[in-house]
Amino acid sequence: MKQQLESIKGEAEQALANLSSMQELENIRIKYLGKKGALTSVLRGMGSLSKEERPIIGQMANEIRCYLEDKLEAAKSMLHQKQKEEKLKQEVIDVTMPGKRKSLGKKHPLSLVLNELEDIFIGMGFEIAEGPELELDYYNFEALNIPENHPARDDQDTFYINENIVLRTATSPVQIRVMEKSKPPIRIISPGRVYRSDAVDATHSPVFHQLEGLVVDKNVTMGDLKGTLEIFAKRLFGSQSKVRFRPHYFPFTEPSAEMDVSCFACGGSGCRICKGEGWIEILGSGLVHPKVLQYGGIDPEVYSGFAFGMGLERMVMMKYGIKDIRLFYENDIRFLRQF
Amino acid sequence: MKVPMSWLKEYVEIECSPEEYASALTMSGSKVEGIENVGEDIQNVVVGKIISIDRHPDADKLVVCQVDAGDGQVQIVTGATNVNAGDYIPVALSGATLPGGFKIKKTKLRGVESNGMMCSIGELGLTKEDYPGAPEDGILILDGEYPVGKDAREILGLNENIVEFEITSNRPDCLSVLGLARETAVTFDQTFSEPDIAVREIGGNAHDHATVEVLDQELCPRYAARIIKNVKIEPSPRWMQNKLRACGVRAINNIVDITNYVMLEYGQPMHAFDLNNLAGHKIIVRRAAEGETICTLDGQERALDSSMLVIADGQKPVAVAGVMGGENSEVTEDTNTILFESANFLGSSVRLTAKKLGLRTESSARFEKGLDVQNVGKALNRACQLIAELGAGEVVSEMIDVDYSHKAPVRLSLRPEKLNAFLGTQISQALMIKILQNLAFEVDEKNMQVTVPSFRGDIEGEADLAEEIARIYGYDNIESTLLSGEATLGGKNDKQLVEDKIEDCLIAQGFSEILTYSFTSPKIFDDLNIPEDSALRKAVTISNPLGEENSIMRTTTLSSMLEVLARNYNHRAKQVRLFEIGSVYRPKSLPVEELPDEKLVVTIGMYGDADFYDLKGTIEELLHVLGIRDYDVVPCQDDPSFHPGRTAKIVLNDKLLGVMGEVHPSVLENYEISARSYVAMLDFGVLLACADRISKYTPLPKYPAVTRDIAMLIKDEILVKQVEDIIKGCSGKLLEDVNLFDVYKGEQIPAGMKSVAYSITFRAADRTLTDEEVNKVFEKILNALETNLDAQLRK
């Protein structure tokens, strides 16, 4: 009987070694380990054995069963592995074929840069203030220290609805509205659409965008203006940028300054973009004119402030090297998709 | 304003390079736009005197000249025919360079050596405008005697740095050489010296020759005049012509040139009248009478009105005050006696008049900024001094001076501490005083009072003093500081955050943002099929639009979106998905009396590989992101811009959130788009009001769901929403989801019917549902569908 068991083991091992399919594996299992299999039939014949032999043979038969079961299991997983590999081989694809792309939409480049600017100022504690685009003459001019017949009105060719209502020429009227409504400390930026009756060409658009800012508090100084705008410029144009403040004139600020930033194309040595000057004009700024504070209901003897303003289109055109302002309002998707 | 540096140097010393000068003046407030070096490209051209002219031995058309060029005699062969022995001419010596990179070398012409070239105006880069007397194809003969060998550029005014300044509108005093010289002096801490004015007079009394009467003292605070007799009109001298040319002013004749010269030097526009053409030898400064006209010096007949100030004689207007003179009193070759005007006119009046007449002149541009009353007499005397010096005429003694200006000088307190606090500086009191004094302010140190010079009308208060001190002290020298004081919260408000959310959601769904004009054409209403009586046609009109196509503020964004879709369609873009968050403008009343309503609208537009359900799905996702759930989609057949069968309104708590649908084919035709296009317009205000910005967490389910499928035949016109409403109504709390998974029409389905199939999911939060419970609900649903919708259930 021992011999019988040994030969079953040997046969089964042999069969497993030449295994090629799952079906064969199952056949082997049935043949040797099944209810009517070889091992079972050997065990059935155990009755003819002596008391002493029975446990020995029984143990041996069990060992062989366990042994074969392990072998079967191993063979099974090997077969699985083989089949997987086979399948993988058959599933080879050409990975250089085009992908199935799901395109995101794009933000308009003006929004893109506006968001960047907003983030910089929000980081410095600024809020975003908004106001009407159709604005009272009072807020657009008078309260900004631009009385009727002031030459500065010529600089801003204005669209009129009637005598008292204009399409705002700047977002500065928002500053007055904010001052009227809130108490210092005030730190706001006011981005938005503005209008000037300029005929359309590569550098002029009757609709464009500005971002202005206003800070009002006790003890706000020219030094604060410089410091704040320097941080802004360095965050927008990189920490290597230099800025300079030039005296200028705006009716609503005094002292007034224009801020230039070192040319980001040439670094300040002079090139075509900065017209050889090494500097590029970025924004207008100044300490808020005491009259403007008064118009906003704020006592200039107690409070002071600074304001600044910049044209968004100009910034975006410089940033991306866009030469024609009309592209912003044509909304050609071949343009929009580039940003 | 263009100024030759040499002219500035007459009043102030300038020691630095042109580049340093430009940078320093820019930083002290007079922005230098550029410095042009005239004559830079002319080298080694000197004054020569022709000693002799001989015939060329071998050429009929050439002559051989011997020229004294200072450093010895030079032989030059020329073909020019306008030269004579004794003439002074510009000579380009061997090795000279001329404009255009032209180099002069020794050469032989038909065997005779020629060691230089005599120059024509063209060869020196000049034009007939610069030298009216010079021949264009002959040698330039210098008008006078000059030291031979001298650099010819100096005589020709071609050795010059011309500075171009950008002068801000608050500084009309800097629209003058003297003003800029003063700024230069202050910037470099140098002395500024004004010209000495001494007029050579011939006696007599101007008052015996003419009278001046000012009827409107507000518009004309001061009017001064002097009389010039025995006027001799001729060209002005070369030095004056050169200076004018450098400033970009064309030389005309001595009288006009002097007028322009003094305007450039002092910033005071002036005018000369032919006294004999002034009726009654009278000047009357008055407002024009309605219906009066004048023919101005440019030959235009101009209608005047009573808002305009004119200079009139006893009968008629002879000039538009501060703007332009009239032809009727113009100085001509035959003029014998001149009345020379120097006056001060109210800036705003000149500005308005110039605007009304559409006639902006060098004079009006200066007056409208507000000029210094004190300058009137000085400039007039300076002009008379030049007239006498140049022999242009004889100056009668006395000045007629009607002066109603009694403006007391502006006095301001000087509070150094306050100024330093304002600027964030520690500038010493002494330095402040010095800066102000250099700027011609009088400082009373005892009482700390400053008196503003009369030419600085822009200085009104302490902040202006701060700027004066800061700009001379140097903005660069002010230390940058960080904002101190109470911290502010900063950040975006709810409205701005919702806007961001909408943008992000649409961008993630493949839509790109567009920005379009806020104004549009009144023609769009026809293009959009909008009926005549629609409220949308009541638009805010711009009174001075750029053109009809941009003349009204838009009341709908549909046209803007369609224009952009059309543009892209035209460029053959296959698939376009766009959105805009922009305003529409609705008047509260017409004509407009108060500020119109500005309403933000979210506009979504698409064509190409899209249908109604793509658009609807986009909006469903958007509303989901905004936490807006219980809205209704209602078929909309009455929007004339949209397809009547493929358009819906979105309604939320009885509020109209917006409309979405396929654009009406005839509207698409108007915009020349041949692809089905889908547009939605959502009211941002309603979105904002309904957006649920605090989304709450719902615990994940613990108990299993039961799903039942149901298929039925219903009449075609029944909306699936009706089916869903019944399912929802019957299921109560147990319903988790209703999912329409099939709609079928066609074979095996009777005409007029459709088959719809739903998968309905039930779940209870607190227990596993039993079959009986679900069956009960399901039965109820089936019954209701059969009863209410006549649905035939398919089993």
Side-chain angles (χ1 to χ4, degrees):
Chain A
M1 223 167 202
K2 253 187 192 172
Q3 277 172 0
Q4 248 182 312
L5 285 172
E6 289 293 350
S7 78
I8 287 171
K9 185 184 170 192
E11 275 173 41
E13 271 183 327
Q14 187 102 42
L16 282 173
N18 298 322
L19 198 61
S20 65
S21 75
M22 272 304 184
Q23 188 55 51
E24 250 176 82
L25 183 89
E26 185 60 9
N27 290 345
I28 293 169
R29 191 188 64 81
I30 293 166
K31 185 171 174 193
Y32 297 99
L33 297 177
K35 275 181 188 163
K36 292 174 184 168
L39 202 59
T40 318
S41 63
V42 170
L43 287 173
R44 280 208 187 110
M46 287 241 301
S48 63
L49 294 176
S50 67
K51 260 188 187 173
E52 292 75 25
E53 273 181 319
R54 232 180 264 166
I56 296 164
I57 296 295
Q59 194 187 353
M60 190 178 161
N62 265 332
E63 275 169 11
I64 289 175
R65 172 180 287 278
C66 284
Y67 175 79
L68 286 180
E69 272 170 0
D70 284 352
K71 278 279 178 196
L72 270 168
E73 201 48 49
K76 196 174 174 183
S77 72
M78 210 179 70
L79 254 185
H80 261 298
Q81 192 59 34
K82 252 192 191 163
Q83 279 178 344
K84 270 190 210 160
E85 277 165 20
E86 197 57 37
K87 194 172 178 217
L88 290 179
K89 262 186 208 159
Q90 283 165 5
E91 286 177 356
V92 170
I93 58 164
D94 179 355
V95 295
T96 63
M97 296 217 311
K100 293 176 191 165
R101 190 164 153 187
K102 295 271 184 294
S103 300
L104 280 181
K106 298 286 187 168
K107 251 189 194 168
H108 195 282
L110 289 171
S111 294
L112 220 54
V113 174
L114 177 60
N115 290 355
E116 203 179 330
L117 299 179
E118 285 174 347
D119 285 347
I120 293 173
F121 284 108
I122 285 173
M124 294 194 267
F126 284 68
E127 284 173 29
I128 301 174
E130 293 167 289
E133 293 169 26
L134 297 173
E135 184 54 284
L136 296 173
D137 183 278
Y138 171 81
Y139 285 107
N140 196 72
F141 290 121
E142 212 178 315
L144 290 165
N145 198 26
I146 312 174
E148 211 178 329
N149 289 322
H150 191 287
R153 290 204 180 200
D154 277 350
D155 304 340
Q156 313 180 359
D157 297 317
T158 312
F159 286 119
Y160 285 88
I161 302 300
N162 61 29
E163 269 191 356
N164 300 319
I165 299 176
V166 300
L167 296 190
R168 67 176 179 192
T169 55
T171 58
S172 353
V174 178
Q175 298 183 9
I176 304 290
R177 288 178 176 273
V178 167
M179 283 192 275
E180 279 181 346
K181 265 191 293 184
S182 42
K183 287 205 175 93
I186 294 170
R187 286 187 198 180
I188 54 140
I189 49 169
S190 55
R193 281 179 179 223
V194 298
Y195 303 85
R196 307 250 171 114
S197 63
D198 285 325
V200 184
D201 65 23
T203 54
H204 293 91
S205 170
V207 180
F208 59 102
H209 292 74
Q210 275 191 342
L211 181 134
E212 300 207 345
L214 173 73
V215 171
V216 181
D217 201 353
K218 285 178 182 155
N219 308 318
V220 173
T221 69
M222 191 82 179
D224 295 339
L225 177 157
K226 284 184 66 184
T228 306
L229 294 177
E230 268 168 27
I231 290 182
F232 155 73
K234 284 182 190 294
R235 290 220 27 206
L236 190 65
F237 298 109
S239 54
Q240 77 292 344
S241 325
K242 281 183 253 142
V243 300
R244 70 171 187 186
F245 290 85
R246 267 185 296 110
H248 198 69
Y249 168 69
F250 304 109
F252 27 86
T253 51
E254 192 75 33
S256 303
E258 278 193 327
M259 186 176 90
D260 297 340
V261 62
S262 52
C263 177
F264 29 79
C266 66
S269 55
C271 66
R272 217 161 39 87
I273 290 177
C274 58
K275 290 176 195 141
E277 285 187 35
W279 296 98
I280 289 177
E281 185 187 316
I282 292 297
L283 55 78
S285 64
L287 295 182
V288 183
H289 199 291
K291 282 188 194 168
V292 174
L293 287 175
Q294 273 164 350
Y295 274 115
I298 288 172
D299 182 356
E301 278 297 314
V302 181
Y303 294 101
S304 54
F306 66 82
F308 54 89
M310 62 198 100
L312 194 56
E313 275 78 356
R314 207 177 116 73
M315 306 277 262
V316 181
M317 288 169 86
M318 286 190 300
K319 185 175 168 105
Y320 294 111
I322 297 167
K323 298 278 188 291
D324 193 331
I325 198 170
R326 287 170 289 206
L327 286 165
F328 292 128
Y329 296 95
E330 280 170 3
N331 300 295
D332 189 319
I333 54 167
R334 295 168 299 180
F335 173 75
L336 297 176
R337 279 188 185 148
Q338 292 181 31
F339 301 95
Chain B
M1 168 103 189
K2 280 181 171 181
V3 181
M5 219 148 183
S6 61
W7 201 349
L8 289 167
K9 284 180 178 169
E10 290 178 21
Y11 314 117
V12 60
E13 239 173 88
I14 301 172
E15 285 159 344
C16 60
S17 72
E19 291 72 29
E20 285 165 341
Y21 179 81
S23 161
L25 267 283
T26 295
M27 295 309 281
S28 72
S30 309
K31 190 178 185 219
V32 174
E33 291 279 275
I35 296 188
E36 186 195 353
N37 188 315
V38 176
E40 201 176 19
D41 42 6
I42 299 175
Q43 293 293 331
N44 215 15
V45 178
V46 300
V47 176
K49 186 182 179 187
I50 300 175
I51 297 167
S52 63
I53 303 177
D54 298 306
R55 299 177 67 163
H56 190 288
D58 292 322
D60 288 348
K61 294 197 170 161
L62 294 177
V63 292
V64 182
C65 304
Q66 301 301 328
V67 177
D68 180 1
D71 206 15
Q73 200 164 306
V74 183
Q75 174 170 295
I76 295 172
V77 180
T78 179
T81 53
N82 70 324
V83 284
N84 292 300
D87 284 349
Y88 287 86
I89 36 86
V91 179
L93 298 173
S94 166
T97 57
L98 293 174
F102 195 44
K103 278 205 165 72
I104 303 301
K105 280 180 261 170
K106 285 188 184 181
T107 180
K108 275 187 180 171
L109 288 171
R110 292 274 182 109
V112 178
E113 213 170 82
S114 181
N115 298 326
M117 186 179 87
M118 298 186 274
C119 303
S120 68
I121 50 171
E123 282 153 350
L124 292 167
L126 297 166
T127 65
K128 201 127 173 78
E129 292 258 287
D130 302 317
Y131 274 82
E136 264 168 286
D137 47 3
I139 304 300
L140 170 59
I141 312 294
L142 299 174
D143 48 359
E145 293 182 11
Y146 298 94
V148 288
K150 189 180 161 104
D151 191 335
R153 293 182 299 177
E154 283 167 33
I155 290 151
L156 299 168
L158 285 174
N159 187 17
E160 189 63 81
N161 285 307
I162 298 171
V163 191
E164 185 168 4
F165 292 96
E166 180 200 296
I167 303 299
T168 52
S169 62
N170 62 326
R171 292 299 303 273
D173 63 303
C174 283
L175 291 171
S176 70
V177 179
L178 287 174
L180 289 165
R182 187 185 290 108
E183 283 294 319
T184 303
V186 182
T187 303
F188 293 103
D189 201 8
Q190 290 276 359
T191 329
F192 164 66
S193 40
E194 274 190 69
D196 289 327
I197 304 174
V199 187
R200 203 169 66 226
E201 299 168 345
I202 54 155
N205 187 336
H207 292 90
D208 298 337
H209 294 268
T211 58
V212 172
E213 201 180 343
V214 175
L215 297 183
D216 195 314
Q217 299 159 17
E218 194 203 339
L219 300 194
C220 176
R222 186 172 177 190
Y223 194 101
R226 295 201 71 157
I227 304 296
I228 318 293
K229 290 206 313 198
N230 298 324
V231 171
K232 226 167 78 197
I233 304 286
E234 54 185 21
S236 59
R238 174 61 50 203
W239 62 265
M240 183 175 275
Q241 292 188 19
N242 285 346
K243 274 179 170 174
L244 291 176
R245 187 183 64 219
C247 295
V249 176
R250 200 155 58 95
I252 311 276
N253 62 43
N254 48 4
I255 297 297
V256 176
D257 290 359
I258 287 169
T259 311
N260 285 330
Y261 186 88
V262 177
M263 178 172 74
L264 291 169
E265 192 176 44
Y266 278 79
Q268 171 70 41
M270 290 186 286
H271 187 66
F273 296 98
D274 186 330
L275 184 63
N276 290 330
N277 290 335
L278 296 180
H281 292 190
K282 258 191 201 165
I283 288 284
I284 301 169
V285 185
R286 60 166 169 87
R287 285 166 184 261
E290 289 295 336
E292 259 184 323
T293 60
I294 184 171
C295 184
T296 42
L297 282 173
D298 54 1
Q300 299 273 319
E301 189 74 21
R302 299 184 185 270
L304 304 170
D305 68 44
S306 62
S307 72
M308 301 172 181
L309 190 72
V310 294
I311 313 301
D313 61 11
Q315 298 164 349
K316 59 192 182 295
V318 290
V320 184
V323 182
M324 195 178 262
E327 265 187 351
N328 53 18
S329 55
E330 190 183 358
V331 173
T332 66
E333 298 276 325
D334 308 324
T335 300
N336 181 265
T337 309
I338 283 176
L339 181 141
F340 223 96
E341 162 201 295
S342 177
N344 190 270
F345 302 114
L346 186 70
S348 54
S349 157
V350 174
R351 177 176 176 273
L352 218 67
T353 302
K355 209 171 160 186
K356 273 190 188 170
L357 294 176
L359 182 62
R360 206 154 179 271
T361 60
E362 188 65 37
S363 165
S364 76
R366 287 163 190 270
F367 274 120
E368 69 181 34
K369 294 182 176 84
L371 295 182
D372 178 14
V373 178
Q374 303 303 323
N375 222 5
V376 165
K378 273 193 252 180
L380 183 54
N381 282 334
R382 173 66 167 164
C384 290
Q385 175 189 16
L386 289 168
I387 285 170
E389 275 176 12
L390 303 189
E394 296 165 2
V395 183
V396 175
S397 296
E398 299 294 318
M399 178 191 289
I400 304 171
D401 190 357
V402 182
D403 188 356
Y404 292 107
S405 72
H406 32 68
K407 236 166 103 186
V410 176
R411 289 207 171 77
L412 299 170
S413 297
L414 178 62
R415 301 187 289 175
E417 239 171 82
K418 175 84 182 166
L419 293 180
N420 273 325
F422 193 51
L423 295 171
T425 50
Q426 284 101 36
I427 304 171
S428 70
Q429 180 174 318
L431 182 55
M432 289 191 184
I433 290 172
K434 188 180 169 208
I435 289 172
L436 291 172
Q437 283 171 337
N438 285 351
L439 286 165
F441 287 72
E442 275 172 39
V443 183
D444 172 356
E445 293 188 40
K446 210 170 99 199
N447 299 311
M448 291 304 275
Q449 291 272 317
V450 297
T451 306
V452 179
S454 63
F455 55 85
R456 292 301 304 273
D458 60 313
I459 306 287
E460 298 172 327
E462 202 168 32
D464 302 306
L465 289 183
E467 178 170 87
E468 293 306 298
I469 290 164
R471 71 185 177 90
I472 302 302
Y473 174 72
Y475 282 5
D476 275 355
N477 295 323
I478 298 174
E479 200 188 328
S480 298
T481 46
L482 291 182
L483 282 172
S484 52
E486 209 176 309
T488 45
L489 231 49
K492 294 189 173 183
N493 61 25
D494 282 350
K495 181 240 165 193
Q496 290 148 1
L497 291 173
V498 167
E499 227 178 305
D500 283 358
K501 224 171 189 180
I502 294 173
E503 281 175 18
D504 290 347
C505 171
L506 291 172
I507 284 168
Q509 296 192 73
F511 289 76
S512 291
E513 186 189 16
I514 62 169
L515 292 172
T516 58
Y517 281 3
S518 324
F519 30 61
T520 186
S521 160
K523 286 186 185 140
I524 61 154
F525 300 120
D526 292 340
D527 291 341
L528 294 174
N529 272 354
I530 290 171
E532 289 298 331
D533 58 352
S534 166
L536 286 176
R537 285 190 184 250
K538 297 199 171 68
V540 178
T541 308
I542 299 170
S543 67
N544 57 334
L546 283 178
E548 205 214 357
E549 70 279 10
N550 287 322
S551 63
I552 59 164
M553 299 307 290
R554 66 182 177 192
T555 56
T556 169
T557 54
L558 181 55
S559 183
S560 313
M561 177 57 78
L562 288 175
E563 279 166 26
V564 176
L565 289 178
R567 188 169 300 125
N568 282 295
Y569 182 80
N570 203 24
H571 290 151
R572 297 170 203 279
K574 285 206 182 78
Q575 197 194 46
V576 175
R577 274 141 181 68
L578 303 170
F579 77 96
E580 175 172 33
I581 303 180
S583 290
V584 294
Y585 310 81
R586 306 252 168 88
K588 293 197 178 88
S589 62
L590 279 181
V592 175
E593 271 159 20
E594 22 177 354
L595 290 185
D597 285 325
E598 296 180 21
K599 290 173 71 172
L600 268 189
V601 178
V602 181
T603 311
I604 303 170
M606 65 201 298
Y607 73 75
D609 196 17
D611 62 20
F612 174 84
Y613 301 105
D614 287 304
L615 177 66
K616 187 181 175 192
T618 304
I619 291 166
E620 283 170 347
E621 181 62 19
L622 175 64
L623 296 178
H624 176 80
V625 163
L626 295 175
I628 298 175
R629 301 280 184 272
D630 301 316
Y631 54 89
D632 286 318
V633 174
V634 186
C636 165
Q637 288 157 357
D638 55 2
D639 190 315
S641 305
F642 285 94
H643 190 307
R646 295 184 171 189
T647 299
K649 283 179 181 158
I650 309 167
V651 183
L652 183 63
N653 305 333
D654 299 331
K655 272 185 263 180
L656 180 62
L657 206 154
V659 59
M660 59 181 171
E662 185 173 319
V663 180
H664 198 288
S666 56
V667 171
L668 287 178
E669 251 171 58
N670 294 338
Y671 286 84
E672 296 178 358
I673 304 173
S674 321
R676 289 182 188 270
S677 300
Y678 301 86
V679 175
M681 290 175 284
L682 309 177
D683 185 326
F684 177 84
V686 179
L687 287 177
L688 174 62
C690 302
D692 179 6
R693 287 178 299 285
I694 311 151
S695 319
K696 265 186 237 138
Y697 149 81
T698 314
L700 301 181
K702 281 186 196 150
Y703 298 95
V706 179
T707 301
R708 294 281 162 89
D709 288 353
I710 177 174
M712 71 198 94
L713 284 177
I714 51 174
K715 286 199 196 98
D716 212 359
E717 65 265 24
I718 292 174
L719 306 176
V720 291
K721 180 175 186 298
Q722 290 172 272
V723 177
E724 284 160 24
D725 282 348
I726 287 174
I727 296 173
K728 283 177 191 162
C730 296
S731 315
K733 274 185 176 177
L734 295 185
L735 183 72
E736 186 175 76
D737 190 28
V738 187
N739 178 28
L740 175 70
F741 68 84
D742 187 44
V743 178
Y744 179 71
K745 285 189 264 192
E747 252 181 80
Q748 297 174 345
I749 304 293
M753 304 290 277
K754 63 185 168 189
S755 160
V756 294
Y758 280 95
S759 172
I760 307 172
T761 308
F762 302 97
R763 196 198 299 263
D766 54 352
R767 63 188 189 280
T768 302
L769 288 176
T770 62
D771 268 356
E772 283 132 64
E773 275 179 290
V774 176
N775 287 344
K776 221 169 110 189
V777 176
F778 201 60
E779 277 305 313
K780 203 171 148 195
I781 294 171
L782 298 182
N783 285 333
L785 288 172
E786 278 173 337
T787 322
N788 297 328
L789 299 179
D790 239 350
Q792 303 166 31
L793 299 169
R794 308 178 84 197
K795 300 200 171 123

